[in-house]
Amino acid sequence: MSRTTQFIQQTDRYSARNYGPLPVVLERGEGCFVWDVDGRRYLDMLSAYSAVNQGHRHPRIMQALRDQAERLTLTSRAFHNDRMGSFLEILCEATGFDRALPMNTGAEAVETGIKVARKWGYETKGLADGDAEIIVCANNFHGRTTTIVGFSSESQYRRGFGPFAPGFKTIPFGDVGALEAAISERTVAFLVEPIQGEGGIVVPPDGYMMRCHEICREHGMLLLNDEIQTGLGRTGKLFCGDWDGTRGDVLIVGKALGGGVYPVSAILADDEVMRVFHPGDHGSTFGGNPLGAAVGEASLGVIVDEGLPARSLDLGRWFAEELRAIESPHIDHVRGRGLMIGIVIKEDSGPARPFCEALMDRGILCNDTHHQVIRISPPLVITREILEETLPVIADVTSGAGVAV
Ligand SMILES: *Cc1c(COP(=O)(O)O)cnc(C)c1O
């Protein structure tokens, strides 16, 4: 029995069955490559859903992790630590907001955004307790807590997990008219991803985020901009909202903020919004811990100092054009921004998953999202040469070679 089979059997025996991963067992990673337990090398074209934008085990991030691990790892927020302040200062400077509130996972940061928006709404609009409403988009992905799945439009994310929190209204993504029409005197915020990642790399019309922000301003509500997946260089700008000239009123970041080594997330907002939080209103045992702060500071530093947004822009533009030039009977179209690219497989050609399995057999790891889409989101440190080598393989596989359709 191969080691791969052994590890998969062990996992199948002991783990909850809440995932259906590709049958590859990884044991080592460096830059944009990972190796499996049988010694095969793969190109990582998923980057843990954009949590490894800096590449696996980036030396600067690893050094920050090791240095901090030797000194102090966790204090809780019952005490100050000497790392959180400088991390948040750099995060605020890079994003342009007054204040940051650090958490750990993306879903926790989204929950934090929901809490800050509701409290801000009650204080500024004088709504009766329990009346605050938040508008969200169909086809969204904001995480897996019960509140968040409660406003998902994906039936599997919801089925069996109710009852859900009220106070959310769903509109189509990319439709500013629908946003205006959905607003009532109870609306406190609009929660949106600037590109829907899990929803299938869905890019809204140009100017969408800016128009949404203007509408929010006109109606005295907050734009909650979930950049957990699109942020930190992924789409060819530091934040995807930069394509439209806005980062929203509350910016939600996670994933690559931890550089692929430690969970670090945060929300950012100006004083006028963040002032609604008082001691005891919100918290997390690990949020803002010194180890996460050191890793977060180094992770953000790598994105900025290595110019990864510009790299993503250049490589992404070129690579998407190369993908569009592939003549395949199965590709419907290619979409995305920067190195956040979706290859959409035609409905008639079946789901995207068998194409991802065939790519895996040829040494390229990506995953399928929203049934028909092959997601291409390599680490942003990838080179043009490495990407170039994938093109004949992708052309071959998307023409049907090795695909169990
Ligand atoms: C991944 C993701 C989340 C949730 O992050 P977790 O760390 O998995 O909780 C939220 N929003 C978006 C847009 C994401 O891509």
Side-chain angles (χ1 to χ4, degrees):
M1 202 194 301
S2 74
R3 295 187 72 215
T4 294
T5 308
Q6 282 174 36
F7 280 106
I8 291 177
Q9 283 185 357
Q10 184 180 45
T11 299
D12 280 351
R13 165 61 185 84
Y14 289 106
S15 80
R17 300 219 169 96
N18 58 325
Y19 273 96
L22 290 178
V24 58
V25 182
L26 303 171
E27 65 169 11
R28 192 160 70 83
E30 191 173 326
C32 48
F33 292 104
V34 287
W35 285 262
D36 76 8
V37 290
D38 290 310
R40 274 196 77 191
R41 189 183 83 163
Y42 299 82
L43 178 61
D44 182 359
M45 293 278 259
L46 176 64
S47 310
Y49 308 95
S50 291
V52 197
N53 287 358
Q54 301 89 340
H56 292 275
R57 295 188 307 113
H58 190 289
R60 179 168 162 194
I61 302 169
M62 294 308 294
Q63 197 55 50
L65 178 82
R66 279 191 292 263
D67 288 348
Q68 191 56 40
E70 294 298 329
R71 282 200 291 270
L72 180 67
T73 56
L74 182 63
T75 55
S76 85
R77 297 285 303 270
F79 314 113
H80 288 275
N81 71 67
D82 68 347
R83 296 309 307 250
M84 192 181 84
S86 73
F87 167 49
L88 300 187
E89 179 177 359
I90 283 167
L91 190 56
C92 286
E93 271 169 9
T95 57
F97 289 92
D98 292 337
R99 289 177 189 277
L101 197 168
M103 300 294 285
N104 312 284
T105 67
E108 280 178 306
V110 171
E111 291 275 353
T112 305
I114 291 169
K115 285 176 77 172
V116 83
R118 284 181 176 165
K119 191 142 194 259
W120 175 88
Y122 288 116
E123 292 188 4
T124 57
K125 290 177 176 264
L127 299 176
D129 197 24
D131 274 358
E133 207 165 72
I134 294 176
I135 298 172
V136 299
C137 287
N139 200 40
N140 70 67
F141 184 83
H142 297 288
R144 299 289 204 155
T145 65
T146 51
T147 291
I148 293 171
V149 297
F151 58 78
S152 172
S153 55
E154 186 73 40
S155 61
Q156 194 199 351
Y157 294 176
R158 300 166 50 92
R159 201 183 313 123
F161 301 123
F164 300 116
F168 298 94
K169 196 187 262 182
T170 305
I171 60 167
F173 179 63
D175 182 343
V176 291
L179 175 60
E180 275 187 299
I183 294 167
S184 76
E185 64 285 354
R186 295 174 168 200
T187 314
V188 298
F190 176 46
L191 170 63
V192 66
E193 302 153 84
I195 290 177
Q196 290 186 325
E198 300 310 299
I201 322 291
V202 184
V203 184
D206 286 347
Y208 175 64
M209 289 297 283
M210 187 48 127
R211 262 312 283 146
C212 289
H213 201 178
E214 285 163 4
I215 291 166
C216 287
R217 283 202 195 99
E218 283 162 26
H219 291 86
M221 51 191 268
L222 301 177
L223 180 64
L224 308 184
N225 179 20
D226 181 350
E227 296 244 18
I228 291 168
Q229 187 162 157
T230 53
L232 300 173
R234 174 52 57 190
T235 71
K237 306 269 183 193
L238 186 55
F239 292 98
C240 187
D242 297 356
W243 283 97
D244 287 352
T246 179
R247 290 177 180 176
D249 300 299
V250 176
L251 177 64
I252 308 173
V253 286
K255 291 202 167 109
L257 191 58
V261 307
Y262 195 91
V264 184
S265 68
I267 70 160
L268 290 123
D270 283 341
D271 276 326
E272 192 263 321
V273 173
M274 210 70 106
R275 67 172 172 76
V276 304
F277 279 140
H278 299 290
D281 281 351
H282 190 51
S284 155
T285 303
F286 277 81
N289 74 76
L291 193 60
V295 165
E297 188 172 329
S299 301
L300 183 60
V302 167
I303 299 278
V304 173
D305 295 347
E306 297 190 8
L308 295 186
R311 191 181 180 86
S312 170
L313 184 68
D314 288 349
L315 289 176
R317 264 200 188 127
W318 160 78
F319 195 61
E321 277 322 303
E322 295 289 322
L323 291 173
R324 285 188 185 106
I326 291 174
E327 289 193 19
S328 151
H330 300 301
I331 297 179
D332 191 77
H333 65 286
V334 173
R335 63 193 182 204
R337 273 195 180 133
L339 282 172
M340 184 173 191
I341 300 172
I343 303 175
V344 185
I345 299 297
K346 288 179 182 161
E347 297 274 347
D348 290 349
S349 303
R353 167 95 181 196
F355 291 90
C356 295
E357 286 165 355
L359 285 167
M360 181 193 81
D361 290 337
R362 305 277 299 266
I364 296 174
L365 295 181
C366 18
N367 89 328
D368 56 306
T369 179
H370 218 258
H371 324 294
Q372 294 313 119
V373 186
I374 305 172
R375 177 193 346 229
I376 305 280
S377 58
L380 307 181
V381 294
I382 199 166
T383 63
R384 186 176 163 129
E385 291 67 39
I386 294 169
L387 278 173
E388 205 139 31
E389 287 172 23
T390 69
L391 286 166
V393 182
I394 294 173
D396 219 29
V397 166
T398 54
S399 75
V403 180
V405 243

